[in-house]
Amino acid sequence: GFYISESFIHKKLVIYPFYQEISQKQKQAIKPKINQKLLFIPKNELLSYSYLTGTYAAIYRYLLPKYYMITDEPEGDLSDMVQNWQNQINQGVKIIQLRSKKLSYQSLFELAKMLKKTLKNQGFGFINSEIEIAKRLGLGIHLNSKQLLQCKRRISDRKTLISCSCHNDAEFKKAQKYADIALISPIKKNHYDNDRLISDEQFKAYSHQNLVTFALSGLKKTDATYFESLGGQGIAGISAFKRSSQNLR
């Protein structure tokens, strides 16, 4: 569990001390500051509370894994896709974003229900671009860069995670205001042959803000450790999560 204290000024909760996981025995040794109320909160209940803005990133960094899977375009027998989701979950992948540019609204909705059922509270599911579907099913929302730049306010409460695509400073500044997770790309050249790549220095600078970052494009699972060393959460991608038998735990 975690110790949580109440802020005098904002009347919201902040992690105390920072986001240190502690045992029931250890909690007896922690003393509150000048009449601050202390709560002992189990890990699985952390997202049920409201916090100061900067505290959320600390919580997400603790709760989120280092692999963020994005699905390929759903085609053919969808049971193969669902089976791959389960395989990836069994191997330690705990974030899956459902992405489709071709499925009808209803078909995507039905597939999203299958994603939620497959996850079974074992991880975090996101729907790419279709905000209404995500809200109906209680899944996370992924905003493409166009949607992000159009944001004038946060599109959901803090109980719904928002991830987004970021390719430059302008998009990242928007992400800091309206999202929880930023997928930073392009990191390496891919089949689009991008000329403007995000440098290691840029990625590191982004990753030391109050936002969880994943490196995206042309990466392998084995690259996650390197981007963690730069301050990021890990890597995101499509091809890296296709029917892999590699054990990630």
Side-chain angles (χ1 to χ4, degrees):
F2 291 77
Y3 247 126
I4 303 295
S5 69
E6 186 176 18
S7 165
F8 287 124
I9 299 175
H10 300 277
K11 299 300 180 185
K12 292 188 176 181
L13 300 175
V14 293
I15 295 181
Y16 175 85
F18 200 45
Y19 62 110
Q20 179 185 2
E21 187 171 12
I22 59 176
S23 67
Q24 287 282 352
K25 290 183 179 179
Q26 288 174 311
K27 73 176 184 177
Q28 303 300 327
I30 295 181
K31 304 298 181 182
K33 295 179 180 179
I34 312 176
N35 299 319
Q36 280 183 300
K37 180 180 179 181
L38 289 183
L39 302 175
F40 185 74
I41 300 176
K43 176 181 174 181
N44 62 352
E45 296 179 13
L46 280 172
L47 296 182
S48 300
Y49 293 82
S50 297
Y51 304 95
L52 296 176
T53 301
T55 305
Y56 283 98
I59 293 175
Y60 298 147
R61 286 186 184 114
Y62 180 81
L63 293 177
L64 295 173
K66 61 182 177 181
Y67 298 108
Y68 185 125
M69 174 184 174
I70 303 171
T71 66
D72 209 346
E73 183 66 42
E75 293 179 335
D77 186 356
L78 296 182
S79 63
D80 288 343
M81 172 176 276
V82 176
Q83 183 58 55
N84 186 44
W85 295 345
Q86 188 61 62
N87 291 343
Q88 296 295 339
I89 291 169
N90 293 342
Q91 295 165 29
V93 175
K94 302 301 183 184
I95 304 178
I96 300 177
Q97 179 201 126
L98 179 56
R99 175 181 178 271
S100 174
K101 297 183 180 296
K102 297 179 181 179
L103 289 181
S104 66
Y105 179 93
Q106 190 59 37
S107 295
L108 183 59
F109 180 77
E110 294 300 323
L111 189 56
K113 286 200 298 185
M114 295 172 69
L115 173 60
K116 184 172 182 177
K117 182 179 179 180
T118 303
L119 283 166
K120 298 175 184 174
N121 298 319
Q122 300 177 73
F124 302 84
F126 289 83
I127 305 298
N128 186 307
S129 303
E130 290 290 348
I131 298 170
E132 184 181 346
I133 290 178
K135 288 185 174 181
R136 285 179 65 185
L137 294 176
L139 293 168
I141 300 166
H142 179 80
L143 302 174
N144 60 39
S145 54
K146 181 178 179 180
Q147 289 175 313
L148 176 65
L149 290 175
Q150 290 175 343
C151 283
K152 303 297 184 184
R153 58 179 177 81
R154 187 179 172 92
I155 61 172
S156 72
D157 61 30
R158 282 288 186 172
K159 293 182 180 179
T160 300
L161 282 172
I162 300 175
S163 76
C164 62
S165 301
C166 290
H167 309 90
N168 52 52
D169 290 348
E171 291 171 359
F172 188 78
K173 287 179 181 178
K174 277 278 190 175
Q176 287 182 287
K177 291 182 178 180
Y178 306 123
D180 308 303
I181 302 169
L183 307 188
I184 308 297
S185 70
I187 298 295
K188 288 187 175 181
K189 287 196 173 183
N190 51 31
H191 59 284
Y192 294 113
D193 195 28
N194 293 294
D195 293 323
R196 182 168 175 76
L197 303 179
I198 300 295
S199 68
D200 287 358
E201 291 75 16
Q202 279 180 290
F203 184 83
K204 185 175 182 178
Y206 290 157
S207 299
H208 284 77
Q209 306 299 319
N210 286 327
L211 198 65
V212 177
T213 59
F214 288 85
L216 173 64
S217 80
L219 301 172
K220 300 178 181 179
K221 291 171 182 172
T222 51
D223 292 316
T225 301
Y226 176 71
F227 288 100
E228 283 180 295
S229 74
L230 297 179
Q233 193 74 11
I235 64 108
I238 298 175
S239 60
F241 300 97
K242 289 185 178 180
R243 293 179 177 81
S244 170
S245 60
Q246 180 183 354
N247 193 319
L248 304 177
R249 288 174 290 184

